[in-house]
Amino acid sequence: MLGTDIKDYAITTLGSHTALQILKGAKDEGFKTICICEKGREGIYKNYNVADEFLFVDKFSDFFEIEDELVKRNAIMIPHGSFVSYLGWEKVMDIKVMHYGTKGILEWESDRTKEREWLKAAGLRLPQIFKSPDDIDRAVIVKFHGAKGGMGYFIANNPAEFYERIKEYPNEKGYVIQEYIVGVPMYTHFFKSPLTGELEIMSFDKRYESNADSIGRIASKDQLDVGIRTSYTITGNIPLVIRESVLADIFKMGERVVEESKKLHCEKTNSTLEKGLYGPFCLEAIIDPELRFNVFEISARIVAGTNPYVHGSPYTWLKYNEPMSTGRRIARDIKTAIESGRLEEILG
Ligand code: AMP
């Protein structure tokens, strides 16, 4: 039986991505915090005073070297984008330290084909995928599998343009050709508590992408003259509120994604993900002028788009009347779980 005093536990995460709000939120809820840092990169976590203890690795992929230390400290690991990207979902499946969230979900969010199957089953509207470049009959966005942070995608309108542009990427192996939706990007940050059973909308953001978000500052003639290519390198996140009339539909989308996640199957454990998706997750969509949500990706863990809301968002303010970041919301669920002897329910 795990203890019911939060003083016996520590919340931990890798010093990157959303670590500031995760650790700050944990401290606000009364937890001890541990920040795992690459040597020499602990500066900002010291500066903002969010960590009670630091553990160091040469690189994040050496995580397993310090795992026993974490186990000794009864640490609870909060996964974020960097954790999944440095370790890979297969290795995350093997970790022994307590892990917040269903590990097997990460297999589904890391694979574009699987992710699509899941979202389709949840009845979401998705951009069309073109199996062959020869089928391109509208604007498409070509995404390379290894692309980090939206760098190096390209747009094409027809097969000829595709074959011309792909020559610039001789080393890229796999890619997906996705219908390019003309609209506005909108990222919805959800939180599903297995303890209350409730789905919450924490906040929204859009990304600030270079150079996509500054191309409009140059006349189209100049863009053509200097041969500017669009890229989507993420540099930061911009807070947003959404038109109130569409909020109800967004809740329904989130609920369907959660319901469907319980039916997913994990290859490595050969079992169904009974607990499904819980905790923070994000649906990444382009809203078209008909107000349709075209979902092009899901992140099944905390996203960096929640970072503007360290002190809460308009939506968390409506619900909580106190500062509630997504990081703090995670810590609150963990605290409630520990104190009510339900910790197993939020570990995966
Ligand atoms: P991703 O790496 O899939 O998150 O995409 C990076 C950026 O490309 C997004 O933030 C959007 O600005 C843009 N984008 C991705 N997919 C589409 C799409 N199907 N239609 C229009 N824009 C997209």
PDB file of all heavy atoms in Angstrom, residues 31 35 40 64 69 76 78 87 94 117 145 174 183 188 211 226 236 238 265 283 292:
ATOM      1  N   PHE A  31       4.246  19.762  -2.825  1.00  0.00           N
ATOM      2  CA  PHE A  31       5.148  18.638  -3.090  1.00  0.00           C
ATOM      3  C   PHE A  31       6.612  19.064  -3.057  1.00  0.00           C
ATOM      4  O   PHE A  31       6.948  20.217  -3.365  1.00  0.00           O
ATOM      5  CB  PHE A  31       4.889  18.069  -4.492  1.00  0.00           C
ATOM      6  CG  PHE A  31       3.701  17.154  -4.577  1.00  0.00           C
ATOM      7  CD1 PHE A  31       2.485  17.630  -5.055  1.00  0.00           C
ATOM      8  CD2 PHE A  31       3.810  15.816  -4.213  1.00  0.00           C
ATOM      9  CE1 PHE A  31       1.383  16.785  -5.153  1.00  0.00           C
ATOM     10  CE2 PHE A  31       2.720  14.970  -4.309  1.00  0.00           C
ATOM     11  CZ  PHE A  31       1.497  15.450  -4.784  1.00  0.00           C
ATOM     12  N   CYS A  35      14.269  18.178 -10.362  1.00  0.00           N
ATOM     13  CA  CYS A  35      14.430  18.512 -11.775  1.00  0.00           C
ATOM     14  C   CYS A  35      15.623  17.717 -12.319  1.00  0.00           C
ATOM     15  O   CYS A  35      16.725  17.791 -11.768  1.00  0.00           O
ATOM     16  CB  CYS A  35      14.682  20.015 -11.911  1.00  0.00           C
ATOM     17  SG  CYS A  35      14.706  20.571 -13.606  1.00  0.00           S
ATOM     18  N   GLY A  40      24.894  21.626 -16.926  1.00  0.00           N
ATOM     19  CA  GLY A  40      25.091  22.961 -17.469  1.00  0.00           C
ATOM     20  C   GLY A  40      23.803  23.635 -17.909  1.00  0.00           C
ATOM     21  O   GLY A  40      23.796  24.803 -18.275  1.00  0.00           O
ATOM     22  N   PHE A  64      18.012   6.459 -17.705  1.00  0.00           N
ATOM     23  CA  PHE A  64      18.002   5.217 -16.921  1.00  0.00           C
ATOM     24  C   PHE A  64      19.153   5.146 -15.913  1.00  0.00           C
ATOM     25  O   PHE A  64      19.087   4.394 -14.954  1.00  0.00           O
ATOM     26  CB  PHE A  64      17.966   3.999 -17.847  1.00  0.00           C
ATOM     27  CG  PHE A  64      16.639   3.890 -18.541  1.00  0.00           C
ATOM     28  CD1 PHE A  64      16.452   4.395 -19.820  1.00  0.00           C
ATOM     29  CD2 PHE A  64      15.543   3.341 -17.882  1.00  0.00           C
ATOM     30  CE1 PHE A  64      15.206   4.333 -20.424  1.00  0.00           C
ATOM     31  CE2 PHE A  64      14.297   3.278 -18.480  1.00  0.00           C
ATOM     32  CZ  PHE A  64      14.132   3.779 -19.761  1.00  0.00           C
ATOM     33  N   GLU A  69      17.791   6.349  -8.408  1.00  0.00           N
ATOM     34  CA  GLU A  69      17.732   7.471  -7.451  1.00  0.00           C
ATOM     35  C   GLU A  69      16.289   7.973  -7.327  1.00  0.00           C
ATOM     36  O   GLU A  69      15.820   8.324  -6.253  1.00  0.00           O
ATOM     37  CB  GLU A  69      18.616   8.641  -7.936  1.00  0.00           C
ATOM     38  CG  GLU A  69      20.102   8.344  -7.934  1.00  0.00           C
ATOM     39  CD  GLU A  69      20.586   8.026  -6.531  1.00  0.00           C
ATOM     40  OE1 GLU A  69      20.226   8.768  -5.600  1.00  0.00           O
ATOM     41  OE2 GLU A  69      21.292   7.008  -6.366  1.00  0.00           O
ATOM     42  N   ILE A  76       7.485  10.756  -8.689  1.00  0.00           N
ATOM     43  CA  ILE A  76       6.430  10.526  -9.691  1.00  0.00           C
ATOM     44  C   ILE A  76       6.817  11.340 -10.918  1.00  0.00           C
ATOM     45  O   ILE A  76       6.951  12.568 -10.846  1.00  0.00           O
ATOM     46  CB  ILE A  76       5.048  10.953  -9.160  1.00  0.00           C
ATOM     47  CG1 ILE A  76       4.704  10.150  -7.898  1.00  0.00           C
ATOM     48  CG2 ILE A  76       3.968  10.759 -10.246  1.00  0.00           C
ATOM     49  CD1 ILE A  76       3.435  10.601  -7.199  1.00  0.00           C
ATOM     50  N   ILE A  78       6.507  13.129 -14.400  1.00  0.00           N
ATOM     51  CA  ILE A  78       5.498  13.750 -15.272  1.00  0.00           C
ATOM     52  C   ILE A  78       6.098  13.810 -16.684  1.00  0.00           C
ATOM     53  O   ILE A  78       7.077  14.531 -16.919  1.00  0.00           O
ATOM     54  CB  ILE A  78       5.143  15.198 -14.821  1.00  0.00           C
ATOM     55  CG1 ILE A  78       4.890  15.274 -13.309  1.00  0.00           C
ATOM     56  CG2 ILE A  78       3.960  15.734 -15.632  1.00  0.00           C
ATOM     57  CD1 ILE A  78       3.709  14.497 -12.808  1.00  0.00           C
ATOM     58  N   LEU A  87      13.356   9.945 -25.096  1.00  0.00           N
ATOM     59  CA  LEU A  87      13.394   8.520 -24.740  1.00  0.00           C
ATOM     60  C   LEU A  87      12.748   7.634 -25.798  1.00  0.00           C
ATOM     61  O   LEU A  87      13.201   6.515 -26.033  1.00  0.00           O
ATOM     62  CB  LEU A  87      12.700   8.287 -23.387  1.00  0.00           C
ATOM     63  CG  LEU A  87      13.653   8.224 -22.204  1.00  0.00           C
ATOM     64  CD1 LEU A  87      14.263   9.583 -21.948  1.00  0.00           C
ATOM     65  CD2 LEU A  87      12.943   7.740 -20.962  1.00  0.00           C
ATOM     66  N   ASP A  94       9.292   0.996 -20.510  1.00  0.00           N
ATOM     67  CA  ASP A  94      10.128   0.193 -19.605  1.00  0.00           C
ATOM     68  C   ASP A  94      10.467   0.893 -18.289  1.00  0.00           C
ATOM     69  O   ASP A  94      11.143   0.296 -17.446  1.00  0.00           O
ATOM     70  CB  ASP A  94      11.466  -0.146 -20.294  1.00  0.00           C
ATOM     71  CG  ASP A  94      11.249  -1.084 -21.469  1.00  0.00           C
ATOM     72  OD1 ASP A  94      10.255  -1.827 -21.440  1.00  0.00           O
ATOM     73  OD2 ASP A  94      12.074  -1.064 -22.412  1.00  0.00           O
ATOM     74  N   GLU A 117      -5.955   6.734 -36.973  1.00  0.00           N
ATOM     75  CA  GLU A 117      -6.966   5.688 -36.762  1.00  0.00           C
ATOM     76  C   GLU A 117      -7.800   6.011 -35.506  1.00  0.00           C
ATOM     77  O   GLU A 117      -9.022   5.928 -35.508  1.00  0.00           O
ATOM     78  CB  GLU A 117      -6.182   4.394 -36.521  1.00  0.00           C
ATOM     79  CG  GLU A 117      -6.827   3.117 -36.956  1.00  0.00           C
ATOM     80  CD  GLU A 117      -5.893   1.972 -36.601  1.00  0.00           C
ATOM     81  OE1 GLU A 117      -4.765   1.903 -37.170  1.00  0.00           O
ATOM     82  OE2 GLU A 117      -6.258   1.177 -35.739  1.00  0.00           O
ATOM     83  N   HIS A 145       8.882  12.760 -41.389  1.00  0.00           N
ATOM     84  CA  HIS A 145       8.692  12.040 -40.124  1.00  0.00           C
ATOM     85  C   HIS A 145       9.603  12.553 -39.016  1.00  0.00           C
ATOM     86  O   HIS A 145       9.188  12.696 -37.887  1.00  0.00           O
ATOM     87  CB  HIS A 145       8.899  10.530 -40.319  1.00  0.00           C
ATOM     88  CG  HIS A 145       7.798   9.909 -41.114  1.00  0.00           C
ATOM     89  ND1 HIS A 145       6.508  10.397 -41.084  1.00  0.00           N
ATOM     90  CD2 HIS A 145       7.777   8.856 -41.971  1.00  0.00           C
ATOM     91  CE1 HIS A 145       5.740   9.673 -41.874  1.00  0.00           C
ATOM     92  NE2 HIS A 145       6.492   8.731 -42.436  1.00  0.00           N
ATOM     93  N   GLY A 174      11.040   9.293 -44.810  1.00  0.00           N
ATOM     94  CA  GLY A 174       9.581   9.164 -44.804  1.00  0.00           C
ATOM     95  C   GLY A 174       8.897  10.515 -44.711  1.00  0.00           C
ATOM     96  O   GLY A 174       9.435  11.457 -44.145  1.00  0.00           O
ATOM     97  N   GLY A 183      -7.198  28.151 -42.928  1.00  0.00           N
ATOM     98  CA  GLY A 183      -7.994  28.554 -41.765  1.00  0.00           C
ATOM     99  C   GLY A 183      -7.058  29.066 -40.697  1.00  0.00           C
ATOM    100  O   GLY A 183      -5.944  29.485 -41.006  1.00  0.00           O
ATOM    101  N   THR A 188      -6.277  23.166 -28.478  1.00  0.00           N
ATOM    102  CA  THR A 188      -7.117  23.085 -27.279  1.00  0.00           C
ATOM    103  C   THR A 188      -6.426  22.222 -26.231  1.00  0.00           C
ATOM    104  O   THR A 188      -6.037  21.085 -26.512  1.00  0.00           O
ATOM    105  CB  THR A 188      -8.484  22.445 -27.616  1.00  0.00           C
ATOM    106  OG1 THR A 188      -9.048  23.128 -28.721  1.00  0.00           O
ATOM    107  CG2 THR A 188      -9.429  22.512 -26.430  1.00  0.00           C
ATOM    108  N   ASN A 211       9.201  30.756 -40.390  1.00  0.00           N
ATOM    109  CA  ASN A 211       8.842  32.099 -40.757  1.00  0.00           C
ATOM    110  C   ASN A 211       7.370  32.306 -41.107  1.00  0.00           C
ATOM    111  O   ASN A 211       6.958  33.385 -41.502  1.00  0.00           O
ATOM    112  CB  ASN A 211       9.711  32.521 -41.946  1.00  0.00           C
ATOM    113  CG  ASN A 211       9.517  31.528 -43.126  1.00  0.00           C
ATOM    114  OD1 ASN A 211       8.581  30.723 -43.132  1.00  0.00           O
ATOM    115  ND2 ASN A 211      10.374  31.590 -44.118  1.00  0.00           N
ATOM    116  N   VAL A 226      12.853  36.870 -53.712  1.00  0.00           N
ATOM    117  CA  VAL A 226      13.966  36.294 -52.942  1.00  0.00           C
ATOM    118  C   VAL A 226      13.768  34.809 -52.652  1.00  0.00           C
ATOM    119  O   VAL A 226      14.536  34.206 -51.903  1.00  0.00           O
ATOM    120  CB  VAL A 226      14.256  37.082 -51.632  1.00  0.00           C
ATOM    121  CG1 VAL A 226      14.836  38.435 -51.936  1.00  0.00           C
ATOM    122  CG2 VAL A 226      13.005  37.208 -50.783  1.00  0.00           C
ATOM    123  N   GLY A 236       7.484  30.000 -30.025  1.00  0.00           N
ATOM    124  CA  GLY A 236       6.772  30.359 -28.800  1.00  0.00           C
ATOM    125  C   GLY A 236       5.292  30.103 -28.969  1.00  0.00           C
ATOM    126  O   GLY A 236       4.864  29.541 -29.986  1.00  0.00           O
ATOM    127  N   ILE A 238       1.157  31.674 -28.252  1.00  0.00           N
ATOM    128  CA  ILE A 238       0.370  32.888 -28.034  1.00  0.00           C
ATOM    129  C   ILE A 238      -0.983  32.495 -27.425  1.00  0.00           C
ATOM    130  O   ILE A 238      -1.667  31.628 -27.964  1.00  0.00           O
ATOM    131  CB  ILE A 238       0.146  33.614 -29.383  1.00  0.00           C
ATOM    132  CG1 ILE A 238       1.507  33.901 -30.039  1.00  0.00           C
ATOM    133  CG2 ILE A 238      -0.671  34.889 -29.200  1.00  0.00           C
ATOM    134  CD1 ILE A 238       1.420  34.387 -31.474  1.00  0.00           C
ATOM    135  N   HIS A 265      -5.109  -0.546 -28.285  1.00  0.00           N
ATOM    136  CA  HIS A 265      -4.370  -1.740 -27.909  1.00  0.00           C
ATOM    137  C   HIS A 265      -2.873  -1.430 -27.906  1.00  0.00           C
ATOM    138  O   HIS A 265      -2.377  -0.766 -28.810  1.00  0.00           O
ATOM    139  CB  HIS A 265      -4.690  -2.840 -28.941  1.00  0.00           C
ATOM    140  CG  HIS A 265      -4.110  -4.158 -28.582  1.00  0.00           C
ATOM    141  ND1 HIS A 265      -2.881  -4.569 -29.036  1.00  0.00           N
ATOM    142  CD2 HIS A 265      -4.580  -5.155 -27.797  1.00  0.00           C
ATOM    143  CE1 HIS A 265      -2.629  -5.762 -28.545  1.00  0.00           C
ATOM    144  NE2 HIS A 265      -3.641  -6.145 -27.795  1.00  0.00           N
ATOM    145  N   LEU A 283      -5.666  18.778 -28.564  1.00  0.00           N
ATOM    146  CA  LEU A 283      -6.076  18.556 -29.952  1.00  0.00           C
ATOM    147  C   LEU A 283      -5.608  19.753 -30.765  1.00  0.00           C
ATOM    148  O   LEU A 283      -5.913  20.904 -30.415  1.00  0.00           O
ATOM    149  CB  LEU A 283      -7.596  18.397 -30.059  1.00  0.00           C
ATOM    150  CG  LEU A 283      -8.187  17.116 -29.494  1.00  0.00           C
ATOM    151  CD1 LEU A 283      -9.709  17.105 -29.662  1.00  0.00           C
ATOM    152  CD2 LEU A 283      -7.583  15.870 -30.153  1.00  0.00           C
ATOM    153  N   ARG A 292     -15.393  24.609 -38.910  1.00  0.00           N
ATOM    154  CA  ARG A 292     -15.131  23.179 -38.700  1.00  0.00           C
ATOM    155  C   ARG A 292     -13.731  23.005 -38.131  1.00  0.00           C
ATOM    156  O   ARG A 292     -12.798  23.672 -38.555  1.00  0.00           O
ATOM    157  CB  ARG A 292     -15.256  22.417 -40.023  1.00  0.00           C
ATOM    158  CG  ARG A 292     -16.682  22.404 -40.541  1.00  0.00           C
ATOM    159  CD  ARG A 292     -16.747  21.739 -41.882  1.00  0.00           C
ATOM    160  NE  ARG A 292     -15.887  22.409 -42.857  1.00  0.00           N
ATOM    161  CZ  ARG A 292     -16.064  22.366 -44.169  1.00  0.00           C
ATOM    162  NH1 ARG A 292     -17.070  21.688 -44.665  1.00  0.00           N
ATOM    163  NH2 ARG A 292     -15.246  22.984 -44.989  1.00  0.00           N
TER     164      ARG A 292
END
